[in-house]
Amino acid sequence: MKRQLYLYLFICSSLIGSFTYMYYNRKMAHEKSISLSNEKSAKDTIALLVNQLSDADSFSLEKNEYAQNYFEGKDVTKLVPQIKEALLAYNDSPEGNSYTGQEKLGTQKFIINKIKILNHRWIVANYSDGTYWGDVLLKYFIDDKGKISFQLMDTFIYPKEEY
């Protein structure tokens, strides 16, 4: 009787062990296939984002080789921060940045927030006074002495939206 009981227990434990092994083996294979598909999807997304960033950077002084050739003998990586600092220095004026093309509409002055240097001649920037927002297109020039000057080409202020 004892022998039959051990045989019965051995058979039951063998069946439980084999079912457990099969369950975890299939579970791991399924998880591996899911992780591989997620990895492929992530790689595709990264490649898409890299392409989008490359397309967006084609309109920047740092990536535009033709625009860089205009500044022969000058380091463009040092020139870009100088241009941005020169434009942002006008934000300190009590009347606001004169290159926004806007006069004060309220108590706050218009200042430039973000700057994108497109090439050797053009800058796109956005500005605001905290209530109103706008975009501006500027021309910039660098003389032989390194002095940077700006010329307002066009400006647009967005209508105030009420919520």
Side-chain angles (χ1 to χ4, degrees), residues 27-135:
K27 182 179 177 184
M28 286 182 61
H30 179 68
E31 287 176 356
K32 185 176 181 180
S33 70
I34 288 174
S35 70
L36 287 175
S37 73
N38 287 344
E39 183 179 332
K40 184 182 182 309
S41 173
K43 285 181 181 178
D44 291 344
T45 303
I46 290 171
L48 177 68
L49 291 174
V50 166
N51 288 339
Q52 287 177 347
L53 181 62
S54 175
D55 289 344
D57 276 347
S58 65
F59 288 105
S60 72
L61 181 59
E62 294 93 348
K63 302 290 181 181
N64 188 337
E65 194 172 314
Y66 298 114
Q68 290 177 3
N69 290 339
Y70 181 81
F71 296 114
E72 289 181 37
K74 294 183 182 178
D75 186 10
V76 175
T77 57
K78 292 180 182 176
L79 194 60
V80 170
Q82 289 174 350
I83 296 168
K84 288 182 178 182
E85 288 173 17
L87 185 57
L88 291 175
Y90 291 99
N91 285 348
D92 296 335
S93 170
E95 295 300 314
N97 196 316
S98 59
Y99 292 108
T100 61
Q102 302 293 328
E103 294 183 18
K104 289 171 106 175
L105 294 177
T107 58
Q108 297 292 326
K109 62 184 180 178
F110 282 101
I111 59 171
I112 291 180
N113 301 316
K114 294 181 188 175
I115 300 168
K116 175 81 172 183
I117 301 174
L118 298 179
N119 57 20
H120 64 286
R121 188 59 62 217
W122 302 99
I123 296 175
V124 175
N126 90 350
Y127 60 88
S128 76
D129 68 349
T131 305
Y132 296 96
W133 299 86
D135 295 323

Side-chain angles (χ1 to χ4, degrees), residues 20-33:
T20 304
Y21 173 76
M22 292 296 290
Y23 170 76
Y24 283 112
N25 194 19
R26 287 185 180 165
K27 182 179 177 184
M28 286 182 61
H30 179 68
E31 287 176 356
K32 185 176 181 180
S33 70

